[in-house]
CSV table of all heavy atoms in Angstrom, one decimal:
chain,number,residue,atom,x,y,z
A,994,LEU,N,-22.0,-6.8,-7.3
A,994,LEU,CA,-22.4,-5.5,-6.8
A,994,LEU,C,-23.3,-4.9,-7.9
A,994,LEU,O,-22.8,-4.8,-9.1
A,994,LEU,CB,-21.2,-4.7,-6.5
A,994,LEU,CG,-21.4,-3.6,-5.5
A,994,LEU,CD1,-21.8,-4.1,-4.1
A,994,LEU,CD2,-20.1,-2.9,-5.3
A,995,GLU,N,-24.4,-4.3,-7.6
A,995,GLU,CA,-25.2,-3.5,-8.5
A,995,GLU,C,-24.6,-2.2,-8.8
A,995,GLU,O,-23.9,-1.7,-8.0
A,995,GLU,CB,-26.7,-3.3,-7.9
A,995,GLU,CG,-27.5,-4.6,-7.7
A,995,GLU,CD,-27.8,-5.2,-9.0
A,995,GLU,OE1,-28.0,-4.5,-10.0
A,995,GLU,OE2,-27.9,-6.5,-9.0
A,996,SER,N,-25.0,-1.7,-9.9
A,996,SER,CA,-24.4,-0.5,-10.4
A,996,SER,C,-24.6,0.7,-9.4
A,996,SER,O,-23.6,1.4,-9.1
A,996,SER,CB,-25.0,-0.1,-11.8
A,996,SER,OG,-24.5,1.2,-12.2
A,997,VAL,N,-25.7,0.8,-8.8
A,997,VAL,CA,-26.0,1.9,-7.9
A,997,VAL,C,-25.1,1.8,-6.6
A,997,VAL,O,-24.6,2.7,-6.2
A,997,VAL,CB,-27.5,1.9,-7.5
A,997,VAL,CG1,-27.9,0.8,-6.7
A,997,VAL,CG2,-27.8,3.3,-6.8
A,998,ASP,N,-24.9,0.5,-6.2
A,998,ASP,CA,-23.9,0.3,-5.1
A,998,ASP,C,-22.5,0.6,-5.4
A,998,ASP,O,-21.7,1.2,-4.6
A,998,ASP,CB,-24.1,-1.1,-4.5
A,998,ASP,CG,-25.5,-1.4,-3.9
A,998,ASP,OD1,-26.0,-0.4,-3.3
A,998,ASP,OD2,-25.9,-2.5,-4.0
A,999,PHE,N,-22.2,0.2,-6.6
A,999,PHE,CA,-20.8,0.5,-7.1
A,999,PHE,C,-20.5,2.0,-7.1
A,999,PHE,O,-19.5,2.5,-6.6
A,999,PHE,CB,-20.6,0.0,-8.6
A,999,PHE,CG,-19.4,0.4,-9.2
A,999,PHE,CD1,-18.1,-0.2,-9.0
A,999,PHE,CD2,-19.4,1.5,-10.1
A,999,PHE,CE1,-17.0,0.2,-9.6
A,999,PHE,CE2,-18.2,2.0,-10.8
A,999,PHE,CZ,-17.1,1.3,-10.5
A,1000,TRP,N,-21.5,2.8,-7.7
A,1000,TRP,CA,-21.3,4.2,-7.7
A,1000,TRP,C,-21.3,4.9,-6.3
A,1000,TRP,O,-20.6,5.9,-6.1
A,1000,TRP,CB,-22.3,4.9,-8.7
A,1000,TRP,CG,-22.0,4.5,-10.1
A,1000,TRP,CD1,-22.7,3.7,-10.9
A,1000,TRP,CD2,-20.9,4.9,-10.9
A,1000,TRP,NE1,-22.1,3.6,-12.1
A,1000,TRP,CE2,-21.0,4.3,-12.1
A,1000,TRP,CE3,-19.8,5.8,-10.6
A,1000,TRP,CZ2,-20.0,4.5,-13.2
A,1000,TRP,CZ3,-18.8,6.0,-11.6
A,1000,TRP,CH2,-19.0,5.4,-12.9
A,1001,ASN,N,-22.1,4.3,-5.4
A,1001,ASN,CA,-22.1,4.8,-4.0
A,1001,ASN,C,-20.7,4.6,-3.5
A,1001,ASN,O,-20.1,5.5,-2.8
A,1001,ASN,CB,-23.1,4.0,-3.2
A,1001,ASN,CG,-23.3,4.5,-1.8
A,1001,ASN,OD1,-22.3,5.1,-1.2
A,1001,ASN,ND2,-24.4,4.1,-1.1
A,1002,LEU,N,-20.1,3.4,-3.7
A,1002,LEU,CA,-18.7,3.1,-3.2
A,1002,LEU,C,-17.7,4.0,-3.7
A,1002,LEU,O,-16.9,4.6,-3.1
A,1002,LEU,CB,-18.4,1.7,-3.4
A,1002,LEU,CG,-18.7,0.6,-2.4
A,1002,LEU,CD1,-18.3,-0.7,-3.0
A,1002,LEU,CD2,-18.1,0.9,-1.1
A,1003,VAL,N,-17.7,4.2,-5.1
A,1003,VAL,CA,-16.6,5.0,-5.7
A,1003,VAL,C,-16.7,6.4,-5.4
A,1003,VAL,O,-15.8,7.2,-5.4
A,1003,VAL,CB,-16.6,4.7,-7.2
A,1003,VAL,CG1,-16.3,3.3,-7.6
A,1003,VAL,CG2,-17.8,5.2,-8.0
A,1004,GLY,N,-17.9,6.9,-4.9
A,1004,GLY,CA,-18.1,8.2,-4.5
A,1004,GLY,C,-17.3,8.5,-3.2
A,1004,GLY,O,-17.3,9.7,-2.9
A,1005,ARG,N,-16.8,7.6,-2.6
A,1005,ARG,CA,-16.0,7.8,-1.4
A,1005,ARG,C,-14.6,8.1,-1.6
A,1005,ARG,O,-13.8,8.5,-0.8
A,1005,ARG,CB,-16.1,6.5,-0.5
A,1005,ARG,CG,-17.5,6.3,0.0
A,1005,ARG,CD,-17.7,5.0,0.7
A,1005,ARG,NE,-19.1,4.8,0.9
A,1005,ARG,CZ,-19.8,5.4,1.8
A,1005,ARG,NH1,-19.3,6.3,2.5
A,1005,ARG,NH2,-21.1,5.2,1.8
A,1006,ALA,N,-14.1,8.0,-2.9
A,1006,ALA,CA,-12.8,8.4,-3.2
A,1006,ALA,C,-12.7,9.8,-3.5
A,1006,ALA,O,-13.3,10.4,-4.5
A,1006,ALA,CB,-12.3,7.5,-4.4
A,1007,GLY,N,-11.9,10.5,-2.8
A,1007,GLY,CA,-11.6,12.0,-3.0
A,1007,GLY,C,-12.7,12.9,-2.7
A,1007,GLY,O,-13.2,13.7,-3.5
A,1008,ARG,N,-13.3,12.8,-1.6
A,1008,ARG,CA,-14.5,13.7,-1.2
A,1008,ARG,C,-14.0,15.1,-0.8
A,1008,ARG,O,-12.9,15.2,-0.2
A,1008,ARG,CB,-15.3,13.1,0.0
A,1008,ARG,CG,-16.1,11.9,-0.4
A,1008,ARG,CD,-17.0,11.5,0.7
A,1008,ARG,NE,-18.0,10.5,0.2
A,1008,ARG,CZ,-18.9,10.0,0.9
A,1008,ARG,NH1,-18.9,10.3,2.2
A,1008,ARG,NH2,-19.7,9.1,0.4
A,1009,LEU,N,-14.8,16.1,-1.1
A,1009,LEU,CA,-14.5,17.4,-0.8
A,1009,LEU,C,-14.2,17.6,0.7
A,1009,LEU,O,-14.9,16.9,1.5
A,1009,LEU,CB,-15.7,18.3,-1.1
A,1009,LEU,CG,-15.5,19.8,-1.1
A,1009,LEU,CD1,-14.5,20.3,-2.1
A,1009,LEU,CD2,-16.8,20.5,-1.4
A,1010,MET,N,-13.2,18.4,1.0
A,1010,MET,CA,-12.8,18.7,2.4
A,1010,MET,C,-12.0,17.6,3.0
A,1010,MET,O,-11.5,17.7,4.1
A,1010,MET,CB,-14.1,18.9,3.4
A,1010,MET,CG,-15.0,20.1,2.9
A,1010,MET,SD,-14.2,21.7,2.6
A,1010,MET,CE,-13.9,22.1,4.3
A,1011,LYS,N,-11.8,16.5,2.3
A,1011,LYS,CA,-10.9,15.4,2.8
A,1011,LYS,C,-9.7,15.3,1.9
A,1011,LYS,O,-8.5,15.4,2.2
A,1011,LYS,CB,-11.7,14.1,2.9
A,1011,LYS,CG,-12.7,14.1,3.9
A,1011,LYS,CD,-12.1,13.9,5.3
A,1011,LYS,CE,-13.1,13.8,6.3
A,1011,LYS,NZ,-12.6,13.5,7.6
A,1012,GLU,N,-10.0,15.0,0.5
A,1012,GLU,CA,-9.0,14.9,-0.5
A,1012,GLU,C,-9.4,15.7,-1.6
A,1012,GLU,O,-10.6,15.8,-2.0
A,1012,GLU,CB,-8.9,13.4,-0.9
A,1012,GLU,CG,-8.6,12.4,0.2
A,1012,GLU,CD,-7.1,12.4,0.6
A,1012,GLU,OE1,-6.3,13.1,-0.1
A,1012,GLU,OE2,-6.8,11.8,1.6
A,1013,PHE,N,-8.5,16.3,-2.4
A,1013,PHE,CA,-8.8,17.1,-3.5
A,1013,PHE,C,-9.3,16.3,-4.7
A,1013,PHE,O,-10.3,16.6,-5.4
A,1013,PHE,CB,-7.6,18.0,-4.0
A,1013,PHE,CG,-7.9,18.8,-5.1
A,1013,PHE,CD1,-8.8,19.9,-5.0
A,1013,PHE,CD2,-7.3,18.6,-6.4
A,1013,PHE,CE1,-9.1,20.8,-6.1
A,1013,PHE,CE2,-7.6,19.4,-7.4
A,1013,PHE,CZ,-8.5,20.4,-7.3
A,1014,GLN,N,-8.7,15.1,-4.8
A,1014,GLN,CA,-9.1,14.1,-5.8
A,1014,GLN,C,-8.9,12.7,-5.3
A,1014,GLN,O,-8.2,12.5,-4.3
A,1014,GLN,CB,-8.4,14.3,-7.2
A,1014,GLN,CG,-6.9,14.0,-7.1
A,1014,GLN,CD,-6.3,14.3,-8.4
A,1014,GLN,OE1,-6.4,15.3,-9.0
A,1014,GLN,NE2,-5.5,13.3,-8.9
A,1015,GLY,N,-9.6,11.8,-5.9
A,1015,GLY,CA,-9.4,10.4,-5.4
A,1015,GLY,C,-9.1,9.5,-6.6
A,1015,GLY,O,-9.2,9.9,-7.8
A,1016,ASN,N,-8.6,8.3,-6.3
A,1016,ASN,CA,-8.2,7.3,-7.3
A,1016,ASN,C,-9.1,6.1,-7.0
A,1016,ASN,O,-9.2,5.6,-5.9
A,1016,ASN,CB,-6.8,7.0,-7.2
A,1016,ASN,CG,-5.9,8.2,-7.3
A,1016,ASN,OD1,-6.0,8.9,-8.3
A,1016,ASN,ND2,-5.1,8.4,-6.3
A,1017,ILE,N,-9.6,5.5,-8.1
A,1017,ILE,CA,-10.4,4.3,-8.1
A,1017,ILE,C,-9.7,3.3,-8.9
A,1017,ILE,O,-9.4,3.5,-10.1
A,1017,ILE,CB,-11.8,4.5,-8.6
A,1017,ILE,CG1,-12.5,5.6,-7.7
A,1017,ILE,CG2,-12.6,3.3,-8.5
A,1017,ILE,CD1,-13.6,6.3,-8.4
A,1018,PHE,N,-9.3,2.1,-8.2
A,1018,PHE,CA,-8.6,1.1,-8.9
A,1018,PHE,C,-9.6,-0.1,-9.1
A,1018,PHE,O,-10.0,-0.7,-8.1
A,1018,PHE,CB,-7.4,0.7,-8.2
A,1018,PHE,CG,-6.4,1.8,-8.0
A,1018,PHE,CD1,-6.4,2.6,-6.9
A,1018,PHE,CD2,-5.5,2.1,-9.0
A,1018,PHE,CE1,-5.5,3.7,-6.7
A,1018,PHE,CE2,-4.5,3.1,-8.9
A,1018,PHE,CZ,-4.6,3.9,-7.7
A,1019,LEU,N,-9.9,-0.4,-10.4
A,1019,LEU,CA,-10.8,-1.5,-10.7
A,1019,LEU,C,-9.9,-2.7,-11.1
A,1019,LEU,O,-9.5,-2.7,-12.3
A,1019,LEU,CB,-11.8,-1.1,-11.8
A,1019,LEU,CG,-12.6,0.2,-11.6
A,1019,LEU,CD1,-13.5,0.5,-12.7
A,1019,LEU,CD2,-13.3,0.1,-10.3
A,1020,ILE,N,-9.6,-3.5,-10.2
A,1020,ILE,CA,-8.7,-4.6,-10.4
A,1020,ILE,C,-9.3,-5.8,-11.2
A,1020,ILE,O,-10.4,-6.2,-10.8
A,1020,ILE,CB,-8.1,-5.1,-9.1
A,1020,ILE,CG1,-7.4,-3.8,-8.4
A,1020,ILE,CG2,-7.0,-6.2,-9.3
A,1020,ILE,CD1,-7.1,-4.0,-7.0
A,1021,ASP,N,-8.7,-6.2,-12.2
A,1021,ASP,CA,-9.2,-7.4,-13.0
A,1021,ASP,C,-10.6,-7.1,-13.6
A,1021,ASP,O,-11.4,-7.9,-13.7
A,1021,ASP,CB,-9.2,-8.6,-12.1
A,1021,ASP,CG,-9.2,-9.9,-13.0
A,1021,ASP,OD1,-8.8,-9.9,-14.1
A,1021,ASP,OD2,-9.7,-10.9,-12.4
A,1022,TYR,N,-10.8,-5.8,-14.0
A,1022,TYR,CA,-12.2,-5.4,-14.5
A,1022,TYR,C,-12.7,-6.3,-15.6
A,1022,TYR,O,-13.9,-6.6,-15.7
A,1022,TYR,CB,-12.2,-4.0,-14.9
A,1022,TYR,CG,-13.5,-3.4,-15.2
A,1022,TYR,CD1,-14.4,-3.1,-14.2
A,1022,TYR,CD2,-13.9,-3.2,-16.5
A,1022,TYR,CE1,-15.7,-2.6,-14.5
A,1022,TYR,CE2,-15.2,-2.8,-16.9
A,1022,TYR,CZ,-16.1,-2.4,-15.9
A,1022,TYR,OH,-17.3,-1.9,-16.1
A,1023,ASP,N,-11.8,-6.7,-16.5
A,1023,ASP,CA,-12.3,-7.6,-17.6
A,1023,ASP,C,-13.0,-8.8,-17.2
A,1023,ASP,O,-13.8,-9.4,-17.9
A,1023,ASP,CB,-11.1,-7.9,-18.6
A,1023,ASP,CG,-10.7,-6.7,-19.4
A,1023,ASP,OD1,-11.4,-5.7,-19.5
A,1023,ASP,OD2,-9.5,-6.7,-19.8
A,1024,ASN,N,-12.7,-9.3,-16.0
A,1024,ASN,CA,-13.3,-10.5,-15.5
A,1024,ASN,C,-14.5,-10.3,-14.5
A,1024,ASN,O,-14.9,-11.2,-13.9
A,1024,ASN,CB,-12.2,-11.4,-14.9
A,1024,ASN,CG,-11.2,-11.9,-16.0
A,1024,ASN,OD1,-11.7,-12.4,-17.0
A,1024,ASN,ND2,-10.0,-11.8,-15.7
A,1025,TRP,N,-14.9,-9.0,-14.4
A,1025,TRP,CA,-16.0,-8.8,-13.5
A,1025,TRP,C,-17.3,-9.3,-14.1
A,1025,TRP,O,-17.5,-9.2,-15.4
A,1025,TRP,CB,-16.2,-7.3,-13.2
A,1025,TRP,CG,-15.2,-6.7,-12.4
A,1025,TRP,CD1,-13.9,-7.1,-12.1
A,1025,TRP,CD2,-15.3,-5.5,-11.6
A,1025,TRP,NE1,-13.2,-6.3,-11.2
A,1025,TRP,CE2,-14.1,-5.2,-10.9
A,1025,TRP,CE3,-16.3,-4.5,-11.5
A,1025,TRP,CZ2,-13.9,-4.2,-10.1
A,1025,TRP,CZ3,-16.1,-3.4,-10.7
A,1025,TRP,CH2,-14.9,-3.2,-10.0
A,1026,ARG,N,-18.2,-10.0,-13.4
A,1026,ARG,CA,-19.4,-10.5,-13.9
A,1026,ARG,C,-20.4,-9.4,-14.4
A,1026,ARG,O,-21.0,-9.5,-15.4
A,1026,ARG,CB,-20.1,-11.4,-12.9
A,1026,ARG,CG,-19.3,-12.8,-12.8
A,1026,ARG,CD,-19.9,-13.7,-11.8
A,1026,ARG,NE,-21.3,-13.8,-11.7
A,1026,ARG,CZ,-22.0,-14.1,-10.6
A,1026,ARG,NH1,-21.4,-14.4,-9.5
A,1026,ARG,NH2,-23.3,-14.2,-10.6
A,1027,LYS,N,-20.4,-8.3,-13.6
A,1027,LYS,CA,-21.2,-7.1,-14.0
A,1027,LYS,C,-20.2,-6.0,-14.2
A,1027,LYS,O,-19.2,-5.8,-13.5
A,1027,LYS,CB,-22.2,-6.7,-12.9
A,1027,LYS,CG,-23.4,-7.5,-12.9
A,1027,LYS,CD,-24.5,-6.7,-12.1
A,1027,LYS,CE,-25.8,-7.5,-12.3
A,1027,LYS,NZ,-26.9,-6.8,-11.6
A,1028,LYS,N,-20.5,-5.2,-15.3
A,1028,LYS,CA,-19.6,-4.1,-15.6
A,1028,LYS,C,-20.3,-2.8,-15.3
A,1028,LYS,O,-21.0,-2.2,-16.1
A,1028,LYS,CB,-19.3,-4.2,-17.1
A,1028,LYS,CG,-18.8,-5.5,-17.6
A,1028,LYS,CD,-17.3,-5.6,-17.4
A,1028,LYS,CE,-16.7,-6.7,-18.2
A,1028,LYS,NZ,-16.2,-7.8,-17.5
A,1029,PRO,N,-20.1,-2.3,-14.1
A,1029,PRO,CA,-20.8,-1.1,-13.7
A,1029,PRO,C,-20.5,0.2,-14.5
A,1029,PRO,O,-21.3,1.1,-14.7
A,1029,PRO,CB,-20.5,-0.8,-12.3
A,1029,PRO,CG,-19.2,-1.6,-12.1
A,1029,PRO,CD,-19.3,-2.8,-13.1
A,1030,LEU,N,-19.4,0.2,-15.2
A,1030,LEU,CA,-19.0,1.4,-16.0
A,1030,LEU,C,-19.9,1.4,-17.3
A,1030,LEU,O,-20.0,2.5,-17.9
A,1030,LEU,CB,-17.5,1.4,-16.4
A,1030,LEU,CG,-16.6,1.4,-15.3
A,1030,LEU,CD1,-15.1,1.4,-15.8
A,1030,LEU,CD2,-16.8,2.7,-14.4
A,1031,GLU,N,-20.5,0.3,-17.6
A,1031,GLU,CA,-21.3,0.2,-18.8
A,1031,GLU,C,-22.8,0.3,-18.4
A,1031,GLU,O,-23.7,0.1,-19.3
A,1031,GLU,CB,-21.0,-1.1,-19.5
A,1031,GLU,CG,-19.6,-1.2,-20.0
A,1031,GLU,CD,-19.1,-2.6,-20.3
A,1031,GLU,OE1,-20.0,-3.4,-20.5
A,1031,GLU,OE2,-17.9,-2.8,-20.4
A,1032,GLN,N,-23.2,0.6,-17.2
A,1032,GLN,CA,-24.5,0.6,-16.8
A,1032,GLN,C,-24.8,2.1,-16.3
A,1032,GLN,O,-24.0,2.8,-16.0
A,1032,GLN,CB,-24.8,-0.4,-15.6
A,1032,GLN,CG,-24.6,-1.8,-16.0
A,1032,GLN,CD,-24.6,-2.8,-14.8
A,1032,GLN,OE1,-24.8,-2.3,-13.7
A,1032,GLN,NE2,-24.5,-4.0,-15.1
A,1033,PRO,N,-26.2,2.4,-16.1
A,1033,PRO,CA,-26.5,3.8,-15.7
A,1033,PRO,C,-26.0,4.0,-14.3
A,1033,PRO,O,-26.0,3.1,-13.5
A,1033,PRO,CB,-28.0,3.8,-15.8
A,1033,PRO,CG,-28.5,2.5,-16.3
A,1033,PRO,CD,-27.3,1.6,-16.4
A,1034,ARG,N,-25.7,5.3,-14.0
A,1034,ARG,CA,-25.2,5.7,-12.7
A,1034,ARG,C,-26.4,6.0,-11.8
A,1034,ARG,O,-26.3,5.9,-10.6
A,1034,ARG,CB,-24.3,6.9,-12.8
A,1034,ARG,CG,-23.0,6.6,-13.3
A,1034,ARG,CD,-22.2,7.9,-13.4
A,1034,ARG,NE,-21.8,8.3,-12.1
A,1034,ARG,CZ,-20.9,9.2,-11.9
A,1034,ARG,NH1,-20.3,9.8,-12.9
A,1034,ARG,NH2,-20.6,9.6,-10.7
A,1035,VAL,N,-27.5,6.4,-12.3
A,1035,VAL,CA,-28.6,6.8,-11.5
A,1035,VAL,C,-29.7,5.8,-11.5
A,1035,VAL,O,-30.0,5.2,-12.5
A,1035,VAL,CB,-29.2,8.2,-12.1
A,1035,VAL,CG1,-30.3,8.7,-11.3
A,1035,VAL,CG2,-28.1,9.3,-12.2
A,1036,HIS,N,-30.3,5.7,-10.4
A,1036,HIS,CA,-31.4,4.7,-10.2
A,1036,HIS,C,-32.5,5.4,-9.4
A,1036,HIS,O,-32.6,5.3,-8.2
A,1036,HIS,CB,-30.9,3.5,-9.4
A,1036,HIS,CG,-31.8,2.3,-9.5
A,1036,HIS,ND1,-33.0,2.3,-8.9
A,1036,HIS,CD2,-31.7,1.2,-10.1
A,1036,HIS,CE1,-33.6,1.1,-9.1
A,1036,HIS,NE2,-32.8,0.4,-9.8
A,1037,TYR,N,-33.3,6.2,-10.1
A,1037,TYR,CA,-34.4,7.0,-9.5
A,1037,TYR,C,-33.9,7.9,-8.4
A,1037,TYR,O,-34.5,8.1,-7.4
A,1037,TYR,CB,-35.5,6.1,-9.0
A,1037,TYR,CG,-36.1,5.3,-10.1
A,1037,TYR,CD1,-36.1,3.9,-10.1
A,1037,TYR,CD2,-36.7,5.9,-11.2
A,1037,TYR,CE1,-36.7,3.2,-11.0
A,1037,TYR,CE2,-37.2,5.2,-12.3
A,1037,TYR,CZ,-37.3,3.8,-12.1
A,1037,TYR,OH,-37.8,3.1,-13.2
A,1038,GLY,N,-32.7,8.4,-8.6
A,1038,GLY,CA,-32.2,9.5,-7.7
A,1038,GLY,C,-31.4,9.1,-6.5
A,1038,GLY,O,-30.6,9.8,-6.1
A,1039,CYS,N,-31.6,7.9,-6.0
A,1039,CYS,CA,-30.8,7.5,-4.8
A,1039,CYS,C,-30.9,6.0,-4.7
A,1039,CYS,O,-31.8,5.3,-5.1
A,1039,CYS,CB,-31.2,8.2,-3.6
A,1039,CYS,SG,-32.8,7.7,-2.9
A,1040,ALA,N,-29.9,5.5,-3.9
A,1040,ALA,CA,-29.8,4.1,-3.7
A,1040,ALA,C,-31.0,3.6,-2.8
A,1040,ALA,O,-31.4,2.5,-2.9
A,1040,ALA,CB,-28.5,3.7,-3.0
């Protein structure tokens, strides 16, 4: 998954008017082929 898609997905955890806060569980992150936490969040403003 590309970084921009990753951040699009994680933005679904804890959205305003639904949940006050959300939890994101990155399971087995050390073995992910791409590390989205180490890449930029923005890609020219939108996916």
Side-chain angles (χ1 to χ4, degrees):
L994 203 61
E995 292 296 324
S996 178
V997 69
D998 292 329
F999 169 83
W1000 290 109
N1001 184 339
L1002 272 176
V1003 300
R1005 295 171 190 288
R1008 287 191 171 178
L1009 188 62
M1010 305 302 287
K1011 292 284 185 179
E1012 301 284 349
F1013 182 68
Q1014 68 182 49
N1016 304 304
I1017 302 158
F1018 299 93
L1019 307 179
I1020 303 163
D1021 199 24
Y1022 187 76
D1023 289 340
N1024 292 316
W1025 288 23
R1026 286 175 45 204
K1027 277 199 172 180
K1028 307 276 197 248
L1030 297 179
E1031 299 163 16
Q1032 298 172 358
R1034 288 179 68 166
V1035 179
H1036 195 289
Y1037 299 120
C1039 71

